[in-house]
Amino acid sequence: MARLTAGIATSHVPLIGVAIDQGKTEEDYFKPIFAGYEWTKEWIRKPENKPDVVILVYNDHASAFDMNLIPTFAIGCAEEFEPADEGWGPRPVPVVKNDADFAWHIAQSLIIDEFDMTIINKMDVDHGLTVPLSAMFGQPDAWPVKVVPIAVNVVTYPVPSGERCWKLGEAIARAVADYPEDLNVQIWGTGGMSHQLQGPRAGLINQEWDQKFLDDLTADPQRLRSIEAIEYLRETGSEGIEMVMWLIMRGALQGDVRELHRHYHVPASNTALGHIVLENA
Amino acid sequence: MHRSVSDYMSEFDDIPGTRVYTTRRARQGYWLNQFCMSLMKPENRERWRADEAAYLADWKLTDAQKEAVLARDYNRLLDLGGNIYYLAKLFSTDGQSFVQAVSTMTGMSVEDYKAMMMAGGRSPDGVRSIREGT
C-alpha cells in the first residue's frame, strides 16, 4: 500500500531557480537562502526518507494556463512534463517524470470523492513546480523522484478557500491510502510566504504573521483552516494567498505532526522565503 | 453555506495600493494578458523587439492598454486589467527581473526598493485597510 510519509512546504521564488541555474548560490545574497535547504537535502537523500513519488502542489503562473482556461484544481496525468518558457527561455532542468498510473488513480479517487478535478495531459511546468525540486535536489541529470503535479488557481479571484484546500488534502490522503502499490509518497505545498508583486504596496512582508503560520502548522492547524482570503491579502500581500496551497499539504498529513526542520529568510527577491518539513507524529 | 459574490468581493477594494485580480479585471484584461502570453515564444519575442507598435496592431487591446504597454506603465496596466504573472512575460522579454519591474510600481528607485527588501520589506502597518487606516 502507498504510504504518505512526510509533507514539505517551500516558497518557489523564481530567483532561487535563477541562482541555481547560473551558479550563484555561493554569493553573499544567496548563501543564507540556500543554507536553510542543506538539512532537507541531506535528509531526503537517505534511503528511509527518499520518496518514490512527490505529489507537488503548486500554482501555474500564466504558463500552461492562460486566460482561456482557469482550472481551480488540476492534476497532471501525462507521462512527463517539459519545463516552461516563461519569457527568458526554459530553465535548464530535467524533464519532470510522472507516475502516471498513480496520478490517474488519484484523479479518479478525488472525483469519486466529490473533488471535480481538471485532468491535464499536455502541460509545461513553470518555476512554481521546478524551483522546489531544484531547492531539494540541486542539479541532477534526472530528478530522483516521480512527480504528480497538482495545480491550484491562486491568481484569478475567487480562489479556493483554505478550508477547501485542507479538505482536498484529506481527500488526497485517502487516495494514497487506497493505492495498492508499495510507494513512499510525500506531499509538497509550495508558494508563499508573505509577498506582494504589484502596485504601490509591493514589497510587503509580514514576518510575525508568517512565523505564527509556521508555528501553527503543528501547534494549531485548525486555526489555519479558517483564515479567509482577505486576511492573506491584507496581512501577507496579494501573493501571500499562495499559502493556501500549504494547507493542502497539511490537510493530507492528518492528525498530529512533528516539525523536523524550518527555514525562514527575508528577502528572496520580493518574498519572505519559508520552508518547513513535517512528518506524522 | 452560501456566501454572496458581492460580500466576498467587496473588501478587496479596501486594500491600499493593491489591485486584486478579480473576474472583472480578468474580463477587462483578456486581450492584454493574452498578448503578454504570446511573448513566451522566442519567434514572437523577436518580432516584438523589432517593432513593438506593429506587433501590437495584431492584438485587440484598447488604445489605453497599448499606450501603457509601450510606456511599461505597470500600475496603469494593472488598472486596465493586466495581471502581474502575465505582465511578467513583457518585463522578462525586456530582460528585467521581478524586483526591477515590481519596484517601478512603488514610486521608489530600484536601489531604494532593494534596500527596503534587505531591511525586512514593507511593513503591513498602515496599509492593511483604507477604511480603517490601519
PDB file of all heavy atoms in Angstrom, chain A residues 65 69-77 106-120 150-153 160 164-165 167-169 171-172 174:
ATOM      1  N   PHE A  65      -1.475  27.527 -18.301  1.00  0.00           N
ATOM      2  CA  PHE A  65      -2.859  28.006 -18.412  1.00  0.00           C
ATOM      3  C   PHE A  65      -2.843  29.503 -18.676  1.00  0.00           C
ATOM      4  O   PHE A  65      -2.159  30.245 -17.973  1.00  0.00           O
ATOM      5  CB  PHE A  65      -3.628  27.746 -17.112  1.00  0.00           C
ATOM      6  CG  PHE A  65      -3.535  26.331 -16.626  1.00  0.00           C
ATOM      7  CD1 PHE A  65      -3.204  26.051 -15.311  1.00  0.00           C
ATOM      8  CD2 PHE A  65      -3.775  25.269 -17.486  1.00  0.00           C
ATOM      9  CE1 PHE A  65      -3.109  24.743 -14.860  1.00  0.00           C
ATOM     10  CE2 PHE A  65      -3.679  23.958 -17.041  1.00  0.00           C
ATOM     11  CZ  PHE A  65      -3.345  23.697 -15.725  1.00  0.00           C
ATOM     12  N   LEU A  69      -8.312  29.290 -20.008  1.00  0.00           N
ATOM     13  CA  LEU A  69      -8.592  28.103 -19.204  1.00  0.00           C
ATOM     14  C   LEU A  69      -8.090  28.361 -17.785  1.00  0.00           C
ATOM     15  O   LEU A  69      -6.884  28.540 -17.589  1.00  0.00           O
ATOM     16  CB  LEU A  69      -7.836  26.910 -19.820  1.00  0.00           C
ATOM     17  CG  LEU A  69      -8.202  25.534 -19.342  1.00  0.00           C
ATOM     18  CD1 LEU A  69      -9.631  25.188 -19.757  1.00  0.00           C
ATOM     19  CD2 LEU A  69      -7.237  24.499 -19.921  1.00  0.00           C
ATOM     20  N   ILE A  70      -8.998  28.380 -16.823  1.00  0.00           N
ATOM     21  CA  ILE A  70      -8.600  28.677 -15.443  1.00  0.00           C
ATOM     22  C   ILE A  70      -9.143  27.594 -14.512  1.00  0.00           C
ATOM     23  O   ILE A  70     -10.180  27.773 -13.872  1.00  0.00           O
ATOM     24  CB  ILE A  70      -9.117  30.081 -15.017  1.00  0.00           C
ATOM     25  CG1 ILE A  70      -8.692  31.136 -16.045  1.00  0.00           C
ATOM     26  CG2 ILE A  70      -8.593  30.452 -13.621  1.00  0.00           C
ATOM     27  CD1 ILE A  70      -9.327  32.506 -15.814  1.00  0.00           C
ATOM     28  N   PRO A  71      -8.487  26.431 -14.474  1.00  0.00           N
ATOM     29  CA  PRO A  71      -8.970  25.378 -13.580  1.00  0.00           C
ATOM     30  C   PRO A  71      -8.667  25.710 -12.122  1.00  0.00           C
ATOM     31  O   PRO A  71      -7.562  26.162 -11.811  1.00  0.00           O
ATOM     32  CB  PRO A  71      -8.187  24.134 -14.013  1.00  0.00           C
ATOM     33  CG  PRO A  71      -6.991  24.632 -14.739  1.00  0.00           C
ATOM     34  CD  PRO A  71      -7.288  26.030 -15.210  1.00  0.00           C
ATOM     35  N   THR A  72      -9.637  25.510 -11.250  1.00  0.00           N
ATOM     36  CA  THR A  72      -9.407  25.762  -9.819  1.00  0.00           C
ATOM     37  C   THR A  72      -8.442  24.720  -9.252  1.00  0.00           C
ATOM     38  O   THR A  72      -7.462  25.074  -8.601  1.00  0.00           O
ATOM     39  CB  THR A  72     -10.751  25.757  -9.067  1.00  0.00           C
ATOM     40  OG1 THR A  72     -11.544  26.832  -9.575  1.00  0.00           O
ATOM     41  CG2 THR A  72     -10.549  25.953  -7.570  1.00  0.00           C
ATOM     42  N   PHE A  73      -8.729  23.452  -9.517  1.00  0.00           N
ATOM     43  CA  PHE A  73      -7.812  22.374  -9.116  1.00  0.00           C
ATOM     44  C   PHE A  73      -7.553  21.494 -10.341  1.00  0.00           C
ATOM     45  O   PHE A  73      -8.504  21.008 -10.957  1.00  0.00           O
ATOM     46  CB  PHE A  73      -8.431  21.489  -8.035  1.00  0.00           C
ATOM     47  CG  PHE A  73      -8.643  22.165  -6.705  1.00  0.00           C
ATOM     48  CD1 PHE A  73      -9.915  22.202  -6.131  1.00  0.00           C
ATOM     49  CD2 PHE A  73      -7.585  22.726  -6.003  1.00  0.00           C
ATOM     50  CE1 PHE A  73     -10.123  22.802  -4.886  1.00  0.00           C
ATOM     51  CE2 PHE A  73      -7.780  23.329  -4.762  1.00  0.00           C
ATOM     52  CZ  PHE A  73      -9.044  23.373  -4.205  1.00  0.00           C
ATOM     53  N   ALA A  74      -6.298  21.295 -10.688  1.00  0.00           N
ATOM     54  CA  ALA A  74      -5.969  20.458 -11.845  1.00  0.00           C
ATOM     55  C   ALA A  74      -4.907  19.438 -11.448  1.00  0.00           C
ATOM     56  O   ALA A  74      -4.077  19.702 -10.573  1.00  0.00           O
ATOM     57  CB  ALA A  74      -5.453  21.321 -12.995  1.00  0.00           C
ATOM     58  N   ILE A  75      -4.942  18.281 -12.103  1.00  0.00           N
ATOM     59  CA  ILE A  75      -3.932  17.250 -11.824  1.00  0.00           C
ATOM     60  C   ILE A  75      -3.300  16.802 -13.135  1.00  0.00           C
ATOM     61  O   ILE A  75      -3.998  16.535 -14.113  1.00  0.00           O
ATOM     62  CB  ILE A  75      -4.558  16.066 -11.030  1.00  0.00           C
ATOM     63  CG1 ILE A  75      -3.498  14.977 -10.779  1.00  0.00           C
ATOM     64  CG2 ILE A  75      -5.798  15.504 -11.706  1.00  0.00           C
ATOM     65  CD1 ILE A  75      -3.925  13.960  -9.724  1.00  0.00           C
ATOM     66  N   GLY A  76      -1.978  16.784 -13.149  1.00  0.00           N
ATOM     67  CA  GLY A  76      -1.233  16.389 -14.346  1.00  0.00           C
ATOM     68  C   GLY A  76      -1.153  14.879 -14.424  1.00  0.00           C
ATOM     69  O   GLY A  76      -0.664  14.230 -13.500  1.00  0.00           O
ATOM     70  N   CYS A  77      -1.627  14.313 -15.527  1.00  0.00           N
ATOM     71  CA  CYS A  77      -1.696  12.853 -15.656  1.00  0.00           C
ATOM     72  C   CYS A  77      -0.845  12.306 -16.803  1.00  0.00           C
ATOM     73  O   CYS A  77      -0.862  11.113 -17.069  1.00  0.00           O
ATOM     74  CB  CYS A  77      -3.144  12.416 -15.830  1.00  0.00           C
ATOM     75  SG  CYS A  77      -4.123  12.643 -14.320  1.00  0.00           S
ATOM     76  N   ILE A 106      -5.193   8.833  -8.483  1.00  0.00           N
ATOM     77  CA  ILE A 106      -5.562   9.954  -7.609  1.00  0.00           C
ATOM     78  C   ILE A 106      -6.691  10.772  -8.242  1.00  0.00           C
ATOM     79  O   ILE A 106      -7.661  11.151  -7.576  1.00  0.00           O
ATOM     80  CB  ILE A 106      -4.341  10.860  -7.321  1.00  0.00           C
ATOM     81  CG1 ILE A 106      -3.285  10.087  -6.520  1.00  0.00           C
ATOM     82  CG2 ILE A 106      -4.756  12.109  -6.539  1.00  0.00           C
ATOM     83  CD1 ILE A 106      -1.969  10.835  -6.382  1.00  0.00           C
ATOM     84  N   ALA A 107      -6.568  11.028  -9.545  1.00  0.00           N
ATOM     85  CA  ALA A 107      -7.604  11.803 -10.242  1.00  0.00           C
ATOM     86  C   ALA A 107      -8.973  11.137 -10.084  1.00  0.00           C
ATOM     87  O   ALA A 107      -9.963  11.787  -9.726  1.00  0.00           O
ATOM     88  CB  ALA A 107      -7.246  11.943 -11.718  1.00  0.00           C
ATOM     89  N   GLN A 108      -9.000   9.827 -10.313  1.00  0.00           N
ATOM     90  CA  GLN A 108     -10.281   9.115 -10.190  1.00  0.00           C
ATOM     91  C   GLN A 108     -10.806   9.168  -8.771  1.00  0.00           C
ATOM     92  O   GLN A 108     -11.982   9.433  -8.525  1.00  0.00           O
ATOM     93  CB  GLN A 108     -10.105   7.646 -10.595  1.00  0.00           C
ATOM     94  CG  GLN A 108      -9.754   7.453 -12.062  1.00  0.00           C
ATOM     95  CD  GLN A 108      -9.403   5.997 -12.345  1.00  0.00           C
ATOM     96  OE1 GLN A 108     -10.285   5.166 -12.490  1.00  0.00           O
ATOM     97  NE2 GLN A 108      -8.120   5.691 -12.399  1.00  0.00           N
ATOM     98  N   SER A 109      -9.903   8.908  -7.826  1.00  0.00           N
ATOM     99  CA  SER A 109     -10.313   8.868  -6.420  1.00  0.00           C
ATOM    100  C   SER A 109     -10.876  10.228  -5.981  1.00  0.00           C
ATOM    101  O   SER A 109     -11.901  10.302  -5.296  1.00  0.00           O
ATOM    102  CB  SER A 109      -9.110   8.475  -5.558  1.00  0.00           C
ATOM    103  OG  SER A 109      -9.456   8.462  -4.193  1.00  0.00           O
ATOM    104  N   LEU A 110     -10.212  11.299  -6.391  1.00  0.00           N
ATOM    105  CA  LEU A 110     -10.657  12.638  -5.977  1.00  0.00           C
ATOM    106  C   LEU A 110     -12.030  12.965  -6.566  1.00  0.00           C
ATOM    107  O   LEU A 110     -12.880  13.554  -5.896  1.00  0.00           O
ATOM    108  CB  LEU A 110      -9.638  13.697  -6.401  1.00  0.00           C
ATOM    109  CG  LEU A 110      -8.289  13.660  -5.662  1.00  0.00           C
ATOM    110  CD1 LEU A 110      -7.339  14.703  -6.242  1.00  0.00           C
ATOM    111  CD2 LEU A 110      -8.476  13.875  -4.157  1.00  0.00           C
ATOM    112  N   ILE A 111     -12.237  12.574  -7.814  1.00  0.00           N
ATOM    113  CA  ILE A 111     -13.523  12.889  -8.455  1.00  0.00           C
ATOM    114  C   ILE A 111     -14.644  12.074  -7.804  1.00  0.00           C
ATOM    115  O   ILE A 111     -15.709  12.598  -7.497  1.00  0.00           O
ATOM    116  CB  ILE A 111     -13.439  12.664  -9.974  1.00  0.00           C
ATOM    117  CG1 ILE A 111     -12.483  13.705 -10.590  1.00  0.00           C
ATOM    118  CG2 ILE A 111     -14.824  12.772 -10.610  1.00  0.00           C
ATOM    119  CD1 ILE A 111     -12.061  13.415 -12.016  1.00  0.00           C
ATOM    120  N   ILE A 112     -14.351  10.783  -7.544  1.00  0.00           N
ATOM    121  CA  ILE A 112     -15.336   9.954  -6.840  1.00  0.00           C
ATOM    122  C   ILE A 112     -15.626  10.552  -5.467  1.00  0.00           C
ATOM    123  O   ILE A 112     -16.744  10.527  -4.967  1.00  0.00           O
ATOM    124  CB  ILE A 112     -14.821   8.493  -6.727  1.00  0.00           C
ATOM    125  CG1 ILE A 112     -14.785   7.849  -8.110  1.00  0.00           C
ATOM    126  CG2 ILE A 112     -15.686   7.673  -5.775  1.00  0.00           C
ATOM    127  CD1 ILE A 112     -13.982   6.552  -8.164  1.00  0.00           C
ATOM    128  N   ASP A 113     -14.611  11.164  -4.888  1.00  0.00           N
ATOM    129  CA  ASP A 113     -14.710  11.779  -3.554  1.00  0.00           C
ATOM    130  C   ASP A 113     -15.249  13.220  -3.626  1.00  0.00           C
ATOM    131  O   ASP A 113     -15.105  13.995  -2.688  1.00  0.00           O
ATOM    132  CB  ASP A 113     -13.307  11.790  -2.925  1.00  0.00           C
ATOM    133  CG  ASP A 113     -13.323  11.401  -1.464  1.00  0.00           C
ATOM    134  OD1 ASP A 113     -14.418  11.231  -0.904  1.00  0.00           O
ATOM    135  OD2 ASP A 113     -12.226  11.280  -0.876  1.00  0.00           O
ATOM    136  N   GLU A 114     -15.812  13.604  -4.776  1.00  0.00           N
ATOM    137  CA  GLU A 114     -16.513  14.873  -4.975  1.00  0.00           C
ATOM    138  C   GLU A 114     -15.612  16.092  -5.125  1.00  0.00           C
ATOM    139  O   GLU A 114     -16.035  17.221  -4.913  1.00  0.00           O
ATOM    140  CB  GLU A 114     -17.584  15.095  -3.887  1.00  0.00           C
ATOM    141  CG  GLU A 114     -18.623  13.982  -3.876  1.00  0.00           C
ATOM    142  CD  GLU A 114     -19.774  14.204  -2.922  1.00  0.00           C
ATOM    143  OE1 GLU A 114     -19.614  14.983  -1.978  1.00  0.00           O
ATOM    144  OE2 GLU A 114     -20.831  13.592  -3.155  1.00  0.00           O
ATOM    145  N   PHE A 115     -14.343  15.876  -5.474  1.00  0.00           N
ATOM    146  CA  PHE A 115     -13.499  16.995  -5.902  1.00  0.00           C
ATOM    147  C   PHE A 115     -13.436  16.958  -7.435  1.00  0.00           C
ATOM    148  O   PHE A 115     -12.919  16.010  -8.009  1.00  0.00           O
ATOM    149  CB  PHE A 115     -12.091  16.905  -5.296  1.00  0.00           C
ATOM    150  CG  PHE A 115     -12.054  17.461  -3.910  1.00  0.00           C
ATOM    151  CD1 PHE A 115     -12.352  16.650  -2.833  1.00  0.00           C
ATOM    152  CD2 PHE A 115     -11.787  18.798  -3.688  1.00  0.00           C
ATOM    153  CE1 PHE A 115     -12.375  17.167  -1.549  1.00  0.00           C
ATOM    154  CE2 PHE A 115     -11.805  19.324  -2.411  1.00  0.00           C
ATOM    155  CZ  PHE A 115     -12.098  18.508  -1.331  1.00  0.00           C
ATOM    156  N   ASP A 116     -13.973  17.996  -8.055  1.00  0.00           N
ATOM    157  CA  ASP A 116     -14.155  17.989  -9.511  1.00  0.00           C
ATOM    158  C   ASP A 116     -12.874  18.460 -10.181  1.00  0.00           C
ATOM    159  O   ASP A 116     -12.770  19.592 -10.641  1.00  0.00           O
ATOM    160  CB  ASP A 116     -15.355  18.865  -9.875  1.00  0.00           C
ATOM    161  CG  ASP A 116     -16.585  18.463  -9.080  1.00  0.00           C
ATOM    162  OD1 ASP A 116     -16.825  17.239  -8.951  1.00  0.00           O
ATOM    163  OD2 ASP A 116     -17.297  19.341  -8.556  1.00  0.00           O
ATOM    164  N   MET A 117     -11.901  17.565 -10.234  1.00  0.00           N
ATOM    165  CA  MET A 117     -10.582  17.913 -10.751  1.00  0.00           C
ATOM    166  C   MET A 117     -10.604  18.100 -12.265  1.00  0.00           C
ATOM    167  O   MET A 117     -11.335  17.421 -12.983  1.00  0.00           O
ATOM    168  CB  MET A 117      -9.571  16.801 -10.435  1.00  0.00           C
ATOM    169  CG  MET A 117      -9.456  16.445  -8.963  1.00  0.00           C
ATOM    170  SD  MET A 117      -8.895  17.808  -7.946  1.00  0.00           S
ATOM    171  CE  MET A 117      -7.193  17.951  -8.482  1.00  0.00           C
ATOM    172  N   THR A 118      -9.777  18.998 -12.740  1.00  0.00           N
ATOM    173  CA  THR A 118      -9.480  19.097 -14.170  1.00  0.00           C
ATOM    174  C   THR A 118      -8.280  18.195 -14.448  1.00  0.00           C
ATOM    175  O   THR A 118      -7.263  18.288 -13.751  1.00  0.00           O
ATOM    176  CB  THR A 118      -9.140  20.549 -14.546  1.00  0.00           C
ATOM    177  OG1 THR A 118     -10.273  21.365 -14.272  1.00  0.00           O
ATOM    178  CG2 THR A 118      -8.758  20.663 -16.017  1.00  0.00           C
ATOM    179  N   ILE A 119      -8.420  17.323 -15.425  1.00  0.00           N
ATOM    180  CA  ILE A 119      -7.330  16.397 -15.763  1.00  0.00           C
ATOM    181  C   ILE A 119      -6.517  16.991 -16.916  1.00  0.00           C
ATOM    182  O   ILE A 119      -7.080  17.374 -17.939  1.00  0.00           O
ATOM    183  CB  ILE A 119      -7.895  15.011 -16.145  1.00  0.00           C
ATOM    184  CG1 ILE A 119      -8.530  14.387 -14.893  1.00  0.00           C
ATOM    185  CG2 ILE A 119      -6.795  14.111 -16.711  1.00  0.00           C
ATOM    186  CD1 ILE A 119      -9.358  13.160 -15.172  1.00  0.00           C
ATOM    187  N   ILE A 120      -5.223  17.088 -16.717  1.00  0.00           N
ATOM    188  CA  ILE A 120      -4.350  17.710 -17.707  1.00  0.00           C
ATOM    189  C   ILE A 120      -3.395  16.669 -18.265  1.00  0.00           C
ATOM    190  O   ILE A 120      -2.730  15.966 -17.497  1.00  0.00           O
ATOM    191  CB  ILE A 120      -3.492  18.838 -17.070  1.00  0.00           C
ATOM    192  CG1 ILE A 120      -4.365  19.854 -16.329  1.00  0.00           C
ATOM    193  CG2 ILE A 120      -2.647  19.527 -18.141  1.00  0.00           C
ATOM    194  CD1 ILE A 120      -5.213  20.710 -17.203  1.00  0.00           C
ATOM    195  N   ILE A 150      -0.090  18.902  -8.947  1.00  0.00           N
ATOM    196  CA  ILE A 150      -1.451  19.393  -8.670  1.00  0.00           C
ATOM    197  C   ILE A 150      -1.395  20.914  -8.728  1.00  0.00           C
ATOM    198  O   ILE A 150      -0.683  21.544  -7.941  1.00  0.00           O
ATOM    199  CB  ILE A 150      -1.953  18.912  -7.294  1.00  0.00           C
ATOM    200  CG1 ILE A 150      -1.968  17.388  -7.289  1.00  0.00           C
ATOM    201  CG2 ILE A 150      -3.301  19.570  -6.963  1.00  0.00           C
ATOM    202  CD1 ILE A 150      -3.097  16.732  -6.581  1.00  0.00           C
ATOM    203  N   ALA A 151      -2.100  21.486  -9.699  1.00  0.00           N
ATOM    204  CA  ALA A 151      -2.056  22.936  -9.901  1.00  0.00           C
ATOM    205  C   ALA A 151      -3.321  23.575  -9.331  1.00  0.00           C
ATOM    206  O   ALA A 151      -4.431  23.078  -9.538  1.00  0.00           O
ATOM    207  CB  ALA A 151      -1.931  23.247 -11.386  1.00  0.00           C
ATOM    208  N   VAL A 152      -3.132  24.665  -8.598  1.00  0.00           N
ATOM    209  CA  VAL A 152      -4.232  25.350  -7.919  1.00  0.00           C
ATOM    210  C   VAL A 152      -4.307  26.784  -8.448  1.00  0.00           C
ATOM    211  O   VAL A 152      -3.277  27.458  -8.555  1.00  0.00           O
ATOM    212  CB  VAL A 152      -3.982  25.381  -6.390  1.00  0.00           C
ATOM    213  CG1 VAL A 152      -5.137  26.080  -5.663  1.00  0.00           C
ATOM    214  CG2 VAL A 152      -3.792  23.967  -5.850  1.00  0.00           C
ATOM    215  N   ASN A 153      -5.516  27.236  -8.769  1.00  0.00           N
ATOM    216  CA  ASN A 153      -5.654  28.640  -9.165  1.00  0.00           C
ATOM    217  C   ASN A 153      -5.596  29.542  -7.932  1.00  0.00           C
ATOM    218  O   ASN A 153      -6.505  29.531  -7.101  1.00  0.00           O
ATOM    219  CB  ASN A 153      -6.984  28.879  -9.887  1.00  0.00           C
ATOM    220  CG  ASN A 153      -7.275  30.370 -10.008  1.00  0.00           C
ATOM    221  OD1 ASN A 153      -6.383  31.154 -10.362  1.00  0.00           O
ATOM    222  ND2 ASN A 153      -8.489  30.772  -9.680  1.00  0.00           N
ATOM    223  N   PRO A 160      -9.724  29.145  -4.384  1.00  0.00           N
ATOM    224  CA  PRO A 160     -10.295  28.226  -3.387  1.00  0.00           C
ATOM    225  C   PRO A 160      -9.902  28.631  -1.968  1.00  0.00           C
ATOM    226  O   PRO A 160      -8.811  29.133  -1.747  1.00  0.00           O
ATOM    227  CB  PRO A 160      -9.700  26.870  -3.771  1.00  0.00           C
ATOM    228  CG  PRO A 160      -8.491  27.169  -4.588  1.00  0.00           C
ATOM    229  CD  PRO A 160      -8.784  28.459  -5.291  1.00  0.00           C
ATOM    230  N   ARG A 164     -11.256  24.630   1.862  1.00  0.00           N
ATOM    231  CA  ARG A 164     -11.424  23.729   0.718  1.00  0.00           C
ATOM    232  C   ARG A 164     -10.094  23.033   0.386  1.00  0.00           C
ATOM    233  O   ARG A 164     -10.059  21.849   0.048  1.00  0.00           O
ATOM    234  CB  ARG A 164     -11.928  24.531  -0.489  1.00  0.00           C
ATOM    235  CG  ARG A 164     -12.265  23.698  -1.702  1.00  0.00           C
ATOM    236  CD  ARG A 164     -13.513  22.871  -1.487  1.00  0.00           C
ATOM    237  NE  ARG A 164     -13.869  22.094  -2.675  1.00  0.00           N
ATOM    238  CZ  ARG A 164     -14.535  20.948  -2.633  1.00  0.00           C
ATOM    239  NH1 ARG A 164     -14.927  20.434  -1.478  1.00  0.00           N
ATOM    240  NH2 ARG A 164     -14.829  20.298  -3.749  1.00  0.00           N
ATOM    241  N   CYS A 165      -9.023  23.802   0.493  1.00  0.00           N
ATOM    242  CA  CYS A 165      -7.698  23.234   0.222  1.00  0.00           C
ATOM    243  C   CYS A 165      -7.367  22.142   1.236  1.00  0.00           C
ATOM    244  O   CYS A 165      -6.853  21.082   0.891  1.00  0.00           O
ATOM    245  CB  CYS A 165      -6.640  24.340   0.247  1.00  0.00           C
ATOM    246  SG  CYS A 165      -6.713  25.400  -1.216  1.00  0.00           S
ATOM    247  N   LYS A 167      -9.445  20.268   2.844  1.00  0.00           N
ATOM    248  CA  LYS A 167     -10.261  19.079   2.559  1.00  0.00           C
ATOM    249  C   LYS A 167      -9.738  18.336   1.329  1.00  0.00           C
ATOM    250  O   LYS A 167      -9.821  17.106   1.271  1.00  0.00           O
ATOM    251  CB  LYS A 167     -11.725  19.472   2.364  1.00  0.00           C
ATOM    252  CG  LYS A 167     -12.408  19.816   3.687  1.00  0.00           C
ATOM    253  CD  LYS A 167     -13.850  20.206   3.459  1.00  0.00           C
ATOM    254  CE  LYS A 167     -14.558  20.424   4.800  1.00  0.00           C
ATOM    255  NZ  LYS A 167     -15.753  21.276   4.650  1.00  0.00           N
ATOM    256  N   LEU A 168      -9.221  19.074   0.358  1.00  0.00           N
ATOM    257  CA  LEU A 168      -8.607  18.410  -0.799  1.00  0.00           C
ATOM    258  C   LEU A 168      -7.412  17.583  -0.328  1.00  0.00           C
ATOM    259  O   LEU A 168      -7.205  16.447  -0.775  1.00  0.00           O
ATOM    260  CB  LEU A 168      -8.168  19.436  -1.856  1.00  0.00           C
ATOM    261  CG  LEU A 168      -7.414  18.854  -3.062  1.00  0.00           C
ATOM    262  CD1 LEU A 168      -8.280  17.848  -3.840  1.00  0.00           C
ATOM    263  CD2 LEU A 168      -6.940  19.961  -4.004  1.00  0.00           C
ATOM    264  N   GLY A 169      -6.640  18.150   0.600  1.00  0.00           N
ATOM    265  CA  GLY A 169      -5.518  17.412   1.169  1.00  0.00           C
ATOM    266  C   GLY A 169      -5.976  16.109   1.822  1.00  0.00           C
ATOM    267  O   GLY A 169      -5.386  15.043   1.622  1.00  0.00           O
ATOM    268  N   ALA A 171      -8.620  14.435   1.075  1.00  0.00           N
ATOM    269  CA  ALA A 171      -9.057  13.517   0.008  1.00  0.00           C
ATOM    270  C   ALA A 171      -7.843  12.902  -0.701  1.00  0.00           C
ATOM    271  O   ALA A 171      -7.880  11.737  -1.107  1.00  0.00           O
ATOM    272  CB  ALA A 171      -9.950  14.257  -0.987  1.00  0.00           C
ATOM    273  N   ILE A 172      -6.780  13.668  -0.837  1.00  0.00           N
ATOM    274  CA  ILE A 172      -5.549  13.124  -1.431  1.00  0.00           C
ATOM    275  C   ILE A 172      -4.993  12.011  -0.547  1.00  0.00           C
ATOM    276  O   ILE A 172      -4.560  10.962  -1.030  1.00  0.00           O
ATOM    277  CB  ILE A 172      -4.505  14.247  -1.646  1.00  0.00           C
ATOM    278  CG1 ILE A 172      -4.962  15.188  -2.768  1.00  0.00           C
ATOM    279  CG2 ILE A 172      -3.128  13.658  -1.962  1.00  0.00           C
ATOM    280  CD1 ILE A 172      -4.125  16.462  -2.902  1.00  0.00           C
ATOM    281  N   ARG A 174      -6.656  10.038   1.376  1.00  0.00           N
ATOM    282  CA  ARG A 174      -7.491   8.841   1.175  1.00  0.00           C
ATOM    283  C   ARG A 174      -7.123   8.146  -0.138  1.00  0.00           C
ATOM    284  O   ARG A 174      -7.078   6.917  -0.208  1.00  0.00           O
ATOM    285  CB  ARG A 174      -8.978   9.220   1.176  1.00  0.00           C
ATOM    286  CG  ARG A 174      -9.504   9.648   2.550  1.00  0.00           C
ATOM    287  CD  ARG A 174     -11.031   9.733   2.568  1.00  0.00           C
ATOM    288  NE  ARG A 174     -11.572  10.843   1.789  1.00  0.00           N
ATOM    289  CZ  ARG A 174     -11.780  12.074   2.268  1.00  0.00           C
ATOM    290  NH1 ARG A 174     -11.471  12.356   3.539  1.00  0.00           N
ATOM    291  NH2 ARG A 174     -12.278  13.020   1.500  1.00  0.00           N
TER     292      ARG A 174
END
